[in-house]
Amino acid sequence: MRPVAASVLAMAVVLSAAAPAVATGPREPRLSGTVRLKTSTTAEIDFTIDARGVDEAARGTFMIHHKEGDSDVTSRGEVVCLQVGGPVAVMTGRTTWASDPRVPIGGRIGITVYDHGRHDRLGASWQLGHGGDIPSCMGMAPQAEIASGNFTVQS
């Protein structure tokens, strides 16, 4: 190898080794996935969530589909809050559309997810029995088992 070429090659190796790695920054908390809940009836209850962000700055969407007998209701909404701690995420959203007029548009829903591999759990709460709205960033204990699908919680 010629001395000039060897010098250029050596300089390229030194410069590339000294170049800083590209920083990606901290990961943004996220809750995503689609699941069907286990039920003791013939009901099919599906949840799809794509939420990201922190607290009241969270954004994203959710969809709930509940089919049982002659009833077939789908509702969609926007995420308004997300809190993540380890494998648990609590998401609050507001319903923006529903296929059934009995579903309150603007009503708040709270969803808690425990990401436990293929054994995830979900808890969901709607308006309280006395007609009040549930608080933001609050949800029920994740007691419902998942029949199929998967959620991913990223903190």
Side-chain angles (χ1 to χ4, degrees):
M1 184 178 282
R2 295 169 55 182
V4 173
S7 297
V8 171
L9 181 59
M11 183 62 97
V13 169
V14 169
L15 290 176
S16 65
V22 176
T24 59
R27 291 190 321 180
E28 186 174 44
R30 184 170 185 190
L31 166 61
S32 61
T34 298
V35 301
R36 174 164 289 170
L37 299 183
K38 281 186 183 177
T39 65
S40 59
T41 67
T42 60
E44 296 175 359
I45 306 171
D46 303 319
F47 286 79
T48 298
I49 302 170
D50 184 16
R52 61 184 71 213
V54 179
D55 296 329
E56 306 290 335
R59 64 209 179 279
T61 59
F62 68 90
M63 188 272 309
I64 302 167
H65 179 238
H66 184 164
K67 182 178 181 184
E68 188 168 10
D70 293 338
S71 178
D72 191 352
V73 179
T74 299
S75 59
R76 293 186 181 102
E78 296 177 351
V79 173
V80 297
C81 188
L82 178 65
Q83 292 183 338
V84 174
V88 177
V90 178
M91 183 220 80
T92 309
R94 289 222 179 260
T95 303
T96 58
W97 177 86
S99 63
D100 187 321
R102 295 174 291 180
V103 175
I105 302 302
R108 193 177 286 159
I109 180 171
I111 298 174
T112 305
V113 170
Y114 172 45
D115 180 0
H116 190 58
R118 299 309 272 177
H119 304 285
D120 296 346
R121 290 184 173 266
L122 179 139
S125 55
W126 285 262
Q127 289 183 325
L128 302 174
H130 58 73
D133 214 2
I134 64 168
S136 187
C137 287
M138 296 199 64
M140 300 288 289
Q143 297 176 339
E145 294 181 40
I146 305 303
S148 63
N150 189 46
F151 280 122
T152 300
V153 174
Q154 171 183 303
S155 52

